[in-house]
Amino acid sequence: MKRQTYLLILMLFVTLAASGQKKFSVYGIGFYNLENLFDTCHDEGKNDYEYLPLGANKWTELKYSNKLHNMARALADLGTEKLSVGCAVIGVSEVENANALTDLINQPELKARGFQFAHVEGPDRRGVDCAMLYNPSLFKLLNVKLVPYVPELERDSAFRTRGFLTCTGMLAKEKVAIIVCHWPSRFSGSYYREVAGRQVKAVKDSLMRLDPKIKVMVMGDMNDDPMNNSMAKELSARPNIDDVGPNDMFNPWWNILQKGTGTLMYNGSWNLFDQIVLSPNMLNYNMEKDYSTLKYWTCAIQNFPYLLQTEGRYKGAPKRTHAAGVWLNGFSDHLPVVVYLMKERK
């Protein structure tokens, strides 16, 4: 028991040596596109037929159980490069329903940490939703709602896509809001993702008007890179901290992509669609080191070797569940990402 208590304290409070005798706690916030985490049952009104036992992917209980195990392994490892306890919060996309989420958090890797989830069923025609997993020993959930994506053109009145899962809670005794997104696909055209960027910015602005101290993170599979209009213009997510104004956000992934790495590969080149961006009150400007409140420290793409193809034409790319109709027993066509937040311990 003493050993378990010691390990728990060690995991929950990562202590870093700094100038003087200051000590800090670090928290991981992650995001992962789970690439079609479907159960094996049909959901009425949803086009999920390819993920049924007799569907195109022959989605059997064996494949589903392996997918759950693989996802749980990756999610449990997310953030462990710096934190033994892993992430406090993880946003996820491409999960079918609450049943799949329940099965996911009951996997041994996540159950051991007591993970819970926040989810609201959305309007996507295939039935894929966003959700948020959280460790209740680190994050206290206060409220969850799904803000709908609203078509801005009359001709698009029948356009149905994922909304913006907006969760508020307490992290490190501070109020935070996390907006989990999966913006319209590349096939829809950039206009629809620009609409998403405008609407998410409106959600963020509304949260901060109601409570200027709330710290907001927007995360998700944006289906755009950091420098595309949806992120850079409509969401106003800037690449450099000192250029972030009061109505902007900070996007640390812009410079990472420019260095040649990303979260998904297309035709041999990296894109970085999976992003977590932060409100200005989470930043240290001009190289200041004020961590008296919860602040951004660093970020990383979690490219664990087991998440990557090790041979063949796609060597080095994310190892996905299926490719060319063949079940690979892989993970996802995306890599997960994590940001680390730091706060001085009093």
Side-chain angles (χ1 to χ4, degrees):
M1 182 60 71
K2 288 183 179 179
R3 173 178 169 81
Q4 290 176 338
T5 302
Y6 170 76
L7 288 174
L8 182 61
I9 293 172
L10 182 63
M11 289 188 294
L12 292 181
F13 300 103
V14 174
T15 303
L16 305 174
S19 58
Q21 297 299 314
K22 290 183 178 180
K23 295 181 179 180
F24 301 87
S25 295
V26 177
Y27 302 88
I29 308 294
F31 175 79
Y32 195 20
N33 180 324
L34 303 185
E35 194 199 14
N36 296 318
L37 179 57
F38 282 82
D39 63 20
T40 61
C41 302
H42 174 57
D43 279 8
E44 188 67 29
K46 302 295 185 180
N47 185 15
D48 58 0
Y49 297 104
E50 63 181 318
Y51 283 94
L52 296 176
L54 299 180
N57 290 316
K58 301 292 188 290
W59 196 241
T60 62
E61 285 291 339
L62 173 64
K63 291 182 178 180
Y64 177 51
S65 63
N66 279 30
K67 176 74 171 181
L68 288 168
H69 169 70
N70 290 349
M71 294 294 91
R73 177 187 178 189
L75 290 163
D77 283 351
L78 185 55
T80 56
E81 289 182 329
K82 296 188 183 297
L83 296 163
S84 297
V85 74
C87 286
V89 171
I90 307 173
V92 295
S93 66
E94 292 199 21
V95 59
E96 183 181 20
N97 51 33
N99 178 59
L101 285 162
T102 299
D103 290 343
L104 179 64
I105 65 170
N106 280 325
Q107 296 300 299
E109 298 89 342
L110 298 178
K111 191 172 183 178
R113 297 182 192 165
F115 266 91
Q116 298 179 16
F117 67 85
H119 167 255
V120 179
E121 187 72 25
D124 184 84
R125 295 183 188 278
R126 289 203 312 130
V128 289
D129 295 327
C130 294
M132 190 187 78
L133 311 182
Y134 62 97
N135 184 332
S137 68
L138 298 171
F139 178 86
K140 179 182 178 182
L141 182 67
L142 297 176
N143 184 58
V144 56
K145 64 179 180 179
L146 185 67
V147 179
Y149 177 106
V150 179
E152 295 185 357
L153 298 177
E154 185 176 349
R155 73 185 188 201
D156 294 326
S157 59
F159 187 77
R160 293 163 58 186
T161 190
R162 284 81 51 175
F164 316 120
L165 187 74
T166 304
C167 304
T168 57
M170 301 299 295
L171 179 68
K173 299 181 179 180
E174 298 185 36
K175 193 171 183 181
V176 301
I178 297 167
I179 306 171
V180 188
C181 306
H182 187 184
W183 289 358
S185 74
R186 303 291 283 184
F187 297 106
S188 300
S190 62
Y191 164 78
Y192 295 96
R193 293 185 298 282
E194 291 169 22
V195 170
R198 280 197 294 277
Q199 295 185 4
V200 170
K201 186 177 188 300
V203 175
K204 183 266 297 184
D205 290 345
S206 176
L207 288 165
M208 299 196 75
R209 277 195 301 270
L210 291 171
D211 182 358
K213 292 184 178 180
I214 196 170
K215 295 184 172 179
V216 183
M217 288 168 277
V218 175
M219 63 170 63
D221 174 2
M222 309 307 188
N223 272 309
D224 264 337
D225 286 321
M227 58 284 300
N228 292 139
N229 281 343
S230 63
M231 293 297 296
K233 179 182 177 182
E234 302 299 343
L235 188 57
S236 194
R238 309 299 186 196
N240 300 306
I241 287 177
D242 289 338
D243 295 329
V244 176
N247 295 316
D248 301 328
M249 302 194 81
F250 172 55
N251 192 340
W253 310 99
W254 187 311
N255 293 320
I256 289 177
L257 179 60
Q258 288 187 328
K259 293 177 182 177
T261 187
T263 57
L264 71 158
M265 187 173 283
Y266 181 72
N267 286 339
S269 298
W270 286 106
N271 291 99
L272 211 163
F273 292 173
D274 308 273
Q275 301 163 56
I276 305 171
V277 300
L278 305 97
S279 57
N281 55 2
M282 303 186 74
L283 307 175
N284 276 321
Y285 287 85
N286 299 313
M287 302 300 291
E288 64 180 313
K289 299 296 181 184
D290 177 13
Y291 291 100
S292 57
T293 66
L294 203 59
K295 296 289 183 68
Y296 169 78
W297 176 35
T298 190
C299 68
I301 297 170
Q302 302 284 253
N303 54 350
F304 302 119
Y306 65 79
L307 295 178
L308 303 174
Q309 292 275 11
T310 57
E311 59 185 7
R313 177 182 174 185
Y314 299 107
K315 183 178 180 180
K319 184 178 181 181
R320 57 190 307 174
T321 306
H322 291 94
V326 177
W327 180 52
L328 302 179
N329 193 21
F331 292 81
S332 173
D333 54 346
H334 293 243
L335 295 174
V337 294
V338 62
V339 300
Y340 297 99
L341 310 177
M342 187 185 295
K343 184 175 181 178
E344 184 180 345
R345 295 172 59 187
K346 303 297 184 182

